[in-house]
Amino acid sequence: MAQAKKIALYILVVFVLYSIITTPKRSTELVGVAFEGVSSAAQSVGDFMTELVN
């Protein structure tokens, strides 16, 4: 099972690198969207914690 996870991770890394190399503009857009999503989630958690305290 550990071997399968390692192989899957290597395949994922190769795919990500291939995507970045072949279409760098699209890759930057996707990274921006991902950071936007993480930022939004963090903001929502912060709002939730603030409401719990109040």
Side-chain angles (χ1 to χ4, degrees):
M1 189 64 161
Q3 189 72 12
K5 286 182 181 180
K6 189 182 286 187
I7 291 171
L9 180 62
Y10 286 142
I11 291 171
L12 180 65
V13 168
V14 169
F15 176 72
V16 168
L17 289 174
Y18 173 77
S19 298
I20 290 171
I21 291 168
T22 57
T23 56
K25 184 174 181 173
R26 178 71 176 144
S27 297
T28 57
E29 291 173 3
L30 292 175
V31 169
V33 168
F35 279 128
E36 212 173 282
V38 169
S39 175
S40 176
Q43 179 66 39
S44 297
V45 169
D47 291 345
F48 176 73
M49 292 299 179
T50 301
E51 288 299 319
L52 283 178
V53 172
N54 293 334

